[in-house]
């Protein structure tokens, strides 16, 4: 039976009309009639159009109701995301645009299917996606889909910056920075109150001090991090740093320095002749039986850098007693480096207690040395402070000193954990040259803020640049930040 006969017979049957055998000839004549055939063709065409219309509308309905998520943005941070229509299964789009992006500082590039820009305001935005799919007429109105876009506030803007109390007896500047010659090198240093402190109007607990002693040619740099839990630690860090400067001012006399110079030059010659490691001078605390040049230098480091540390401790004890406070309220870490240039290169001697690292990088940045170990983790057993008397009686006291001889260095750095925690993350990274080079690259501008420090002795803006760089954002790291760089 032909298609037309089958269709009409089913249509008649659905309407209660049965084609009996005696009506067969009549039915054949009816289905052969030109008018009936024309009506059948119209029906077939309408059915085809109806199916096409259903398929088209179903595509549009799927796009409107299927989930489409656009990544969140952040105010002030460069935003770019590609809308992968193929992955969404929307392969037959012939037109696409977004309405409402401009309200938050973004725009859509239909050629690259990319939303980009720098969000200007935070909030939840209702974005309209207007589109057309293949098969729709040119004059058909655009279809509309609503999409949510969340722009988060700049995390920095959520922190308050409340001035500290200038009437406090231990008040000091919230943010300081300096740039000075230091012997034949230069030092740039900045110390900045952490966001956690600024948010509640508390004080900067970090501190630093430095000095070049013209009569002896030695330079010293000290950095300290007052304990956040100690009420007067801001004063403790200040006292400790200043006492380092005062100690060597009083005790590193020209006579003593000259004696040390002779030992260092002699040791350098001996070390070269013997091709031995000249960087490890202190093998044990006071059990030195053979008075070699090496041992004499080790004794100098142990006695004088150790006495400097003990002097800082005593100064803090005296201050606590004079002001009727517990010395624990002055808890502070302390690191310092004493260095001098000789004909053969530089000698650097260090001391450290607490969790603040000292690192030195050679001239071409192919090698480095971590000059101290940190009082963190299992080895250190937790943070230690220069205010703790047990520091000086511990058998680990002798390991708190560092010594190195180096032809020249590009950077000698002392920092508090506000820098180290954010930029090195874990202690083990301090042992990796690539991490120090990444840190230097970061300082020079390879960072999200494109904030750069230009290490040029003629750069009068360098202290300001370092202070600005220290505003970097690091989730969870909002402590005071102090960084001293000798270059």
């Amino acid at each position: 039976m032909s298609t037309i006969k089958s269709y009409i017979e089913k249509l008649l049957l659905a309407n209660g009309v049965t084609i009996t055998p005696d009506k067969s000839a009549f039915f054949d004549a009816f289905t052969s009639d030109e008018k009936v055939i024309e009506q059948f063709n119209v029906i077939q065409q309408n059915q085809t159009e109806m199916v096409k219309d259903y398929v088209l509308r179903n595509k549009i309905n799927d796009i409107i109701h299927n989930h489409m998520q656009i990544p969140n943005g952040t105010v002030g941070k460069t935003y770019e995301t590609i809308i992968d229509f193929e992955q969404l299964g929307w392969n037959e789009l012939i037109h696409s645009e977004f309405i409402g992006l401009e309200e938050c500082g973004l725009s859509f590039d239909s050629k690259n299917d990319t939303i980009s820009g720098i969000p200007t305001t935070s909030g939840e935005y209702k974005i309209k996606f207007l589109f057309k799919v293949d098969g729709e007429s040119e004059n058909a109105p655009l279809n509309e889909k609503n999409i949510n876009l969340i722009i988060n506030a700049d995390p920095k803007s959520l922190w308050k910056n409340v001035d500290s109390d200038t009437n406090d007896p231990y008040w000091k500047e919230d943010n300081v920075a300096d740039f000075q010659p230091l012997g034949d090198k230069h030092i740039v240093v900045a110390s900045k109150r952490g966001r956690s402190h600024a948010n509640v109007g508390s004080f900067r607990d970090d501190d630093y001090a430095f000095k070049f002693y013209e009569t002896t040619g030695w330079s010293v740099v000290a950095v300290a991090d007052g304990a956040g839990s100690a009420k007067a630690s801001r004063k403790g860090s200040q006292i400790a740093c200043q006492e380092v400067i005062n100690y060597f001012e009083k005790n590193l006399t020209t006579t003593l320095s000259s004696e040390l110079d002779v030992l260092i030059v002699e040791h350098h010659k001996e070390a070269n002749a013997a091709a031995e490691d000249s960087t490890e001078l202190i093998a044990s605390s006071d059990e030195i039986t053979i008075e070699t040049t090496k041992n004499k230098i080790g004794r100098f480091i142990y006695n004088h850098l150790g006495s400097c540390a003990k002097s800082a401790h005593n100064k803090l004890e005296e201050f606590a007693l004079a002001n009727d406070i517990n010395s624990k309220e002055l808890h502070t870490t302390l690191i310092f480096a004493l260095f001098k240039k000789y004909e053969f290169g530089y000698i650097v001697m260090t001391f450290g207690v607490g969790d603040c690292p000292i690192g030195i990088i050679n001239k071409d940045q192919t090698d480095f040395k971590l000059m101290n170990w940190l009082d963190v983790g299992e080895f250190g057993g937790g943070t230690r402070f220069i205010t703790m008397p047990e520091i000086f009686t511990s058998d680990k006291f002798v390991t708190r000193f560092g010594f190195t001889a180096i032809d020249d260095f590009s950077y000698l750095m002392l920092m508090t954990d506000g820098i180290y925690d954010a930029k090195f993350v874990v202690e083990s990274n301090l042992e990796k040259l690539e991490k120090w080079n990444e840190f230097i690259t970061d300082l020079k501008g390879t960072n999200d803020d494109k904030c750069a420090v230009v290490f040029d002795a003629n750069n009068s803006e360098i202290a300001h640049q370092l202070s600005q760089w220290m505003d970097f954002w690091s989730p969870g790291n909002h402590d005071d930040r102090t960084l001293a760089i000798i270059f």
Side-chain angles (χ1 to χ4, degrees), residues 85-100:
F85 293 116
E86 185 174 344
Q87 187 178 22
L88 288 167
W90 304 351
N91 301 318
E92 299 184 35
L93 288 175
I94 58 174
H95 178 90
S96 57
E97 63 178 288
F98 289 87
I99 303 297

Side-chain angles (χ1 to χ4, degrees), residues 400-414:
R400 295 189 178 277
F401 303 95
F403 177 93
T404 194
I406 187 170
D407 293 343
D408 198 358
F409 60 87
S410 54
Y411 306 99
L412 171 59
M413 300 188 186
L414 297 86

Side-chain angles (χ1 to χ4, degrees), residues 171-220:
W171 179 85
K172 58 187 179 184
E173 293 283 351
D174 295 332
N175 303 305
V176 290
D178 201 359
F179 172 58
Q180 298 290 339
L182 198 64
D184 69 316
K185 294 286 188 178
H186 285 79
I187 181 171
V188 59
V189 57
S191 185
K192 180 157 288 194
R193 182 176 62 157
R195 290 188 179 91
S196 58
H197 291 185
N199 195 53
V200 295
S202 60
F203 305 90
R204 173 174 59 92
D205 292 329
D206 283 6
D207 221 306
Y208 67 85
F210 61 87
K211 188 176 179 65
F212 171 63
Y213 305 104
E214 293 185 14
T215 57
T216 62
W218 286 95
S219 297
V220 66

